[in-house]
Amino acid sequence: MRLIKRAVSCLCGLLIGCSCLGLNVYAEPLNDDFDYEFSASAFYDDIMQIPEWQQTKSRIIRGEMLELPDDILAEMTTSELADAVADYPFFVDIYAFDNAQTGVEILIDHFNGAKELMSRPDCASVLLDKYEAKPVYMTADENIDTLRFSYIEALLTQNTVIDQMDESEVAKLEKVILNKYDQKLDFDVYGEFSKELPFKLLSHNSGNVDLVSFAEEHCISEGSAVLGFQEDSINASYSGTVSTSNGTAVSVTVFTS
C-alpha cells in the first residue's frame, strides 16, 4: 500500500480512547517525516501487545481499540481493505452466534473496516477476484488458513455484495463456488458445513432468485439453512490458527454441532 507520512495518526484514536477510560498511555514523539507502509495485521498485533489491552477484559473496548484509524481507512484500496478485514482478530466471533449470518451482520455493524468494505462500489469485484485466486487449502508449511478462506466466503455471499454484481459476475460466482466446492472434497479439514457454507449463506441471504435456486440445488446436507449443521453427526468444519484476545496464536477447530 502507499506510504503514509502521518504515522502518529495510527495511535491518536487509541490514545484518546484510553484517556477516556482513565488508562495512562505514554508514547515517544514520532518524526512527522517518517515513512512507513501500513500493515493491518501488524497494527492488530501491536495493539494486542500494549498494556492497555491487558488492562481491560471488555470485548467491546478491545473491539474499539482494533478499529482502523480513519485517515488510513480512507486511503486504503478496496483490495487492501478486504485483506485487513480477513485478518481482523475477532472475525472468528461470527461462529459464536446461533448462526454465521447473524455473526457476519454484527461484525459489519461493529467493525469500521468491514463497514467501509461493504460500502465500496468495487467490493463485489474485488472479493470475487480474491476468492477465485485463493487456494482452499495448502500445506501447513505454507500457512494457508482455512478459517480466513471461510471469511472471504462469508463476506462475498452478503446481499450488499451480491447486489453490486451484474449477470456475468453472478454467473462467475456460481462457477467459482462450484469449483471451490470440488477442491474442498480433496481435503479432510473440510466438513459438510465448511464445504457448503457459501450455498447455505446464499440460500438464506440472496434476493437474487437464480442464486437462491442455485444454492438450494447444491445444498446436500440437511439441517440449519444458515449453518448446514447435521443433527446426527459431529464433523470438524474448519481448522486454523487465530489470535486470542491476548495476542497468543492458538489452533482452532470449529465444529458443526
Side-chain angles (χ1 to χ4, degrees), residues 169-243:
E169 288 174 319
V170 170
K172 179 179 178 180
L173 175 63
E174 293 180 353
K175 181 179 179 179
V176 175
I177 287 176
L178 286 175
N179 180 262
K180 298 300 183 184
Y181 176 79
D182 288 341
Q183 292 177 36
K184 290 176 183 178
L185 296 177
D186 294 330
F187 300 100
D188 293 338
V189 68
Y190 288 99
E192 291 305 316
F193 165 52
S194 50
K195 290 174 187 172
E196 298 186 5
L197 178 64
F199 300 129
K200 299 296 183 180
L201 289 171
L202 282 175
S203 66
H204 178 75
N205 295 340
S206 181
N208 184 307
V209 176
D210 292 335
L211 272 179
V212 171
S213 297
F214 161 78
E216 291 179 347
E217 177 184 352
H218 292 90
C219 285
I220 299 172
S221 62
E222 297 180 356
S224 166
V226 183
L227 289 178
F229 288 170
Q230 298 188 62
E231 296 180 357
D232 59 349
S233 65
I234 300 178
N235 295 314
S237 296
Y238 290 106
S239 296
T241 301
V242 298
S243 296

Side-chain angles (χ1 to χ4, degrees), residues 55-93:
Q55 290 174 23
T56 179
K57 299 302 179 184
S58 168
R59 198 74 162 179
I60 294 175
I61 293 175
R62 284 179 168 178
E64 292 172 350
M65 294 171 73
L66 290 171
E67 296 249 293
L68 296 170
D70 289 340
D71 56 341
I72 290 178
L73 191 67
E75 294 190 23
M76 296 177 80
T77 67
T78 303
S79 178
E80 293 164 345
L81 187 55
D83 291 338
V85 174
D87 285 336
Y88 181 60
F90 289 167
F91 204 131
V92 71
D93 285 3

Side-chain angles (χ1 to χ4, degrees), residues 142-194:
E142 291 170 294
N143 198 27
I144 299 299
D145 191 338
T146 54
L147 275 168
R148 283 172 173 76
F149 184 82
S150 78
Y151 300 161
I152 298 296
E153 290 183 318
L155 293 169
L156 185 59
T157 51
Q158 296 304 299
N159 237 4
T160 303
V161 178
I162 294 169
D163 287 346
Q164 292 184 3
M165 297 182 182
D166 58 27
E167 290 185 6
S168 64
E169 288 174 319
V170 170
K172 179 179 178 180
L173 175 63
E174 293 180 353
K175 181 179 179 179
V176 175
I177 287 176
L178 286 175
N179 180 262
K180 298 300 183 184
Y181 176 79
D182 288 341
Q183 292 177 36
K184 290 176 183 178
L185 296 177
D186 294 330
F187 300 100
D188 293 338
V189 68
Y190 288 99
E192 291 305 316
F193 165 52
S194 50

